[in-house]
Amino acid sequence: MGIYEKLVSINDQWVKVGMENQVLDSESRFYGGVTDPVNGIAWPSHHGGTPMMMALWASALINADSTYYHDEELLHALELSAQYMLRFQHADGTISPPWTNMHSPPDTAFVAGGLAQVYELLAAHEWEPLKGAAADIRTFLERTIPALLTGGCHTPNHRWVITAALGFMYKLTGRPELKERAEQWLAEGMDCTEDGEWTERSNGIYNAVSDIVLYFTAELFDRPELLEPVRRNLRMMAYMIHPDGEVVTDYSGRQDFGSKTDMSNYFLIAKLMGNRDNDPLFAAMAKLAGDAITHPGGLPNNGLIGLLRYPELREQPVQSGALPDSYRVVVNGGFPRERYLSGMEAAGHGGRIYHSRLHPDFGAPVARHRNGATSATVITETSSFFALRHGSARLLAVQIASSFEPGFVKLKQMEELEYGYRLTATERKGYYGPVAKRHLPETAGGPVSPWYLLPHHLRELTHEQQHQIEVVLTENEQGWSVRVHCEEPEILMTQISFVFSKEGALSGEGIEPAAAGTFFWEKGTARFSAGNDWIEIGGGAHEHRAKTLNNTSYPADCQTLIVNLMTPYDKTFDIRLSRQDWKESEQGR
């Protein structure tokens, strides 16, 4: 079965699910909407909501290869859902998704960019009964235009979602102000490093979002230069895949952090770019993504809609190459991050951004190693600095926490060594003297002097202390060694945690239960076994009895080994792997 046939079959399965979940009680406020299986409410949102299901229904109705082709019951369902969308569209043209973001221009743009593609297919299909639903969808789209022309965003990727929606509305109506608004967003420039990393470092979700909507933006506004960061990101993603097809999410700056995700979100963009560039690597990524697909996709990134709009993609126009499986690469190793960070003060925002975050971790270096069935990630600027997959055995995170800040320490610098990496971090914490009299506000001399009205930024810093950590990771014939080193400050509680997946078993004489999902590793050697694979680590210790430190928590659905140390320490953990069936490593980039 080819990918087109697979998507048609999967789409038909989800069509049935959607019809079963449509609200058909005419007295219900949600009449015509499709309920979310998680909370039982119908929502007008792009992911898991009614418009996503409308895309599945529309692609079945106009596709002669679907079992629901010209199905009148399904047509009625589509008509009801289009009417539902008009009722749930606010007077300002926006929609409100279930998670947050009331009257949201960017979430409206997600929906508009998807339903515009649906409308194109419906309008081009010569079946008279479709015209009513198509007209309602067009009305919905046209009503979004005021919000798209005036609305803002929260996150970096939202900008490109909005430009794509503006492009679709420009194609639909020809109104020049839509193009002008898109050009305002595009004038902010592309937030992608030379190695292909987007601001949010979200390999599981928002990389693919930025990629596909910029493809649409480039196409709709004839801006082919916008495809350059898309190419870079796809090439980077070739090195962000574990042996089982799981995507590396160990350092994401968004909600996919640490989640188990596959490549399916990249199917359409890899297919489009592979065909456009005649690129065997992109074709290989599209094949891997297509193999992982179990759902046609949310809006505006629906794989079947893509194959219907671009029928040339249904064939295999580009010979698929091979994805790399033996490499050592550093992403963003040459990115001048410190230079960019040094300009933050001049930006004038004072380090504050509302309803979002500034993502100062953008461009932080990440190292990736693949040797056959073994996959390792060395990370900076997250709560974990190392992760390892070895066959079925998964070491999800290695973390350092201390009572200095307190919480997990983010290692900030990475230095490449001959056989590994040196990671370092320096934390600073001090005390603050009285505000000089000349800087005191009027309230300081009044009957009440609120703490929050004092100019704290003008206090003199005193007794500043430093916490300096060094980690050296070395790859060897047996696996890896992890050396952690800290001299100052003295008498500081530290925890090194090794977080393993729930699939598998921990064993070792020095392992004792601490709390749900966590274990003290007091001495000796610990082994994590899953299937025929195991990861063995030597180096347990138990120098204090704290189960957690302030501002730290460990996942209850994992198995976490806790090593308790006191400063100063110089501790090495030797990681040994069960099998060495690796190929000779080569530099991959």
Side-chain angles (χ1 to χ4, degrees):
M1 180 187 293
I3 184 60
Y4 169 70
E5 292 77 15
K6 176 183 176 179
L7 279 169
V8 171
S9 175
I10 289 173
N11 193 77
D12 281 355
Q13 296 170 34
W14 284 101
V15 163
K16 184 174 184 294
V17 172
M19 293 176 73
E20 291 171 349
N21 288 315
Q22 187 172 36
V23 179
L24 297 178
D25 178 4
S26 60
E27 299 299 315
S28 170
R29 65 192 292 193
F30 301 107
Y31 179 49
V34 180
T35 59
D36 185 327
V38 175
N39 51 48
I41 303 298
W43 304 100
S45 52
H46 64 282
H47 185 74
T50 300
M52 182 198 73
M53 197 58 66
M54 291 169 65
L56 309 188
W57 291 346
S59 60
L61 282 168
I62 59 97
N63 187 3
D65 295 319
S66 168
T67 58
Y68 290 93
Y69 180 62
H70 288 189
D71 185 281
E72 292 189 0
E73 183 183 359
L74 181 58
L75 173 62
H76 182 59
L78 180 64
E79 291 170 339
L80 291 180
S81 63
Q83 293 161 16
Y84 159 89
M85 289 299 295
L86 289 173
R87 293 200 315 275
F88 272 73
Q89 187 175 30
H90 303 303
D92 61 5
T94 62
I95 57 99
S96 294
W99 41 86
T100 183
N101 301 347
M102 305 303 291
H103 287 249
S104 168
D107 289 290
T108 303
F110 272 106
V111 173
L115 287 186
Q117 298 174 64
V118 169
Y119 176 75
E120 284 183 18
L121 292 174
L122 295 178
H125 190 71
E126 306 239 345
W127 187 40
E128 186 70 21
L130 275 177
K131 288 189 175 180
D136 283 344
I137 291 172
R138 178 170 183 132
T139 298
F140 174 88
L141 293 171
E142 291 179 341
R143 288 181 183 178
T144 68
I145 290 175
L148 296 175
L149 286 173
T150 62
C153 67
H154 283 159
T155 66
N157 79 84
H158 281 172
R159 297 173 297 171
W160 318 137
V161 174
I162 292 173
T163 63
L166 287 162
F168 279 115
M169 294 306 99
Y170 178 66
K171 180 179 181 182
L172 184 69
T173 68
R175 291 173 56 176
E177 61 266 35
L178 291 159
K179 183 177 182 180
E180 292 166 7
R181 181 67 167 183
E183 288 171 347
Q184 285 183 299
W185 287 113
L186 292 170
E188 294 190 3
M190 293 292 105
D191 56 313
C192 185
T193 69
E194 185 177 346
D195 283 350
E197 190 85 86
W198 291 107
T199 294
E200 292 154 282
R201 308 207 301 169
S202 173
N203 297 335
I205 302 176
Y206 292 105
N207 283 3
V209 168
S210 292
D211 289 350
I212 191 65
V213 294
L214 275 175
Y215 184 94
F216 293 144
T217 301
E219 181 180 61
L220 291 160
F221 290 122
D222 192 22
R223 295 281 299 270
E225 71 276 11
L226 298 177
L227 298 178
E228 280 306 309
V230 176
R231 291 185 179 94
R232 296 200 301 269
N233 182 252
L234 288 176
R235 291 184 185 119
M236 183 200 80
M237 283 304 302
Y239 299 95
M240 295 295 170
I241 306 169
H242 293 301
D244 63 353
E246 182 183 346
V247 168
V248 176
T249 60
D250 304 301
Y251 65 94
S252 174
R254 294 300 304 275
Q255 65 265 36
D256 56 319
F257 173 67
S259 65
K260 195 167 185 178
T261 309
D262 58 42
M263 284 290 291
S264 55
N265 286 343
Y266 291 87
F267 167 73
L268 182 56
I269 186 58
K271 195 80 171 168
L272 287 164
M273 290 303 296
N275 186 60
R276 183 185 182 97
D277 291 358
N278 194 28
D279 191 311
L281 176 65
F282 296 164
M285 295 178 74
K287 183 180 185 308
L288 179 65
D291 290 344
I293 285 177
T294 59
H295 187 285
L299 301 181
N301 193 16
N302 180 296
L304 181 57
I305 293 287
L307 295 192
L308 293 173
R309 292 183 67 232
Y310 304 93
E312 66 275 12
L313 299 181
R314 300 182 204 178
E315 305 300 324
Q316 186 68 28
V318 184
Q319 185 65 36
S320 177
L323 290 169
D325 65 356
S326 182
Y327 53 81
R328 299 179 182 182
V329 302
V330 176
V331 174
N332 298 325
F335 182 65
R337 183 163 167 259
E338 295 302 322
R339 175 167 65 83
Y340 283 106
L341 287 173
S342 67
M344 191 184 297
E345 184 176 350
H349 48 58
R352 297 180 65 187
I353 187 172
Y354 296 98
H355 315 300
S356 186
R357 56 186 292 254
L358 287 168
H359 295 279
D361 48 354
F362 169 59
V366 174
R368 286 280 300 134
H369 286 216
R370 267 286 302 273
N371 291 283
T374 302
S375 174
T377 312
V378 181
I379 312 162
T380 57
E381 289 288 4
T382 61
S383 60
S384 167
F385 63 86
F386 185 64
L388 179 66
R389 308 289 198 278
H390 178 63
S392 300
R394 300 194 300 152
L395 173 57
L396 303 178
V398 182
Q399 303 166 298
I400 300 175
S402 84
S403 54
F404 184 82
E405 275 290 340
F408 292 116
V409 178
K410 293 182 178 181
L411 296 167
K412 297 183 178 299
Q413 290 82 34
M414 175 188 292
E415 175 189 353
E416 287 190 68
L417 307 175
E418 184 176 2
Y419 297 107
Y421 307 91
R422 178 176 178 266
L423 308 179
T424 56
T426 300
E427 297 181 319
R428 293 178 171 85
K429 186 176 181 181
Y431 305 85
Y432 298 89
V435 177
K437 187 173 183 179
R438 66 183 182 277
H439 296 310
L440 288 172
E442 183 178 345
T443 51
V448 176
S449 178
W451 168 260
Y452 54 74
L453 291 182
L454 295 172
H456 299 288
H457 61 291
L458 299 177
R459 294 181 185 275
E460 179 186 7
L461 177 65
T462 79
H463 295 79
E464 184 181 64
Q465 302 299 301
Q466 292 190 10
H467 176 216
Q468 296 179 320
I469 290 182
E470 175 189 74
V471 174
V472 176
L473 295 130
T474 306
E475 190 177 24
N476 53 51
E477 293 182 356
Q478 289 74 41
W480 289 78
S481 72
V482 181
R483 180 192 174 207
V484 292
H485 175 236
C486 179
E487 292 293 336
E488 293 182 355
E490 291 193 34
I491 318 300
L492 182 70
M493 288 193 297
T494 298
Q495 282 188 336
I496 314 294
S497 53
F498 296 83
V499 182
F500 293 94
S501 66
K502 62 181 178 182
E503 307 88 7
L506 277 170
S507 60
E509 62 178 2
I511 297 176
E512 298 292 338
T518 62
F519 304 86
F520 288 130
W521 180 22
E522 298 181 355
K523 61 181 179 179
T525 298
R527 175 178 285 195
F528 178 77
S529 302
N532 296 321
D533 305 306
W534 50 259
I535 298 172
E536 193 172 80
I537 311 177
H542 193 63
E543 298 177 4
H544 61 84
R545 300 195 305 187
K547 295 180 180 180
T548 60
L549 301 179
N550 287 346
N551 296 337
T552 65
S553 62
Y554 301 111
D557 61 344
C558 293
Q559 303 177 76
T560 302
L561 287 178
I562 296 171
V563 177
N564 282 342
L565 299 175
M566 297 292 294
T567 54
Y569 58 81
D570 191 342
K571 184 74 174 173
T572 297
F573 301 91
D574 291 311
I575 300 176
R576 206 159 60 89
L577 306 178
S578 56
R579 53 193 170 98
Q580 304 299 322
D581 56 352
W582 303 346
K583 298 178 181 179
E584 187 68 27
S585 291
E586 295 179 357
Q587 185 71 24
R589 301 176 72 171

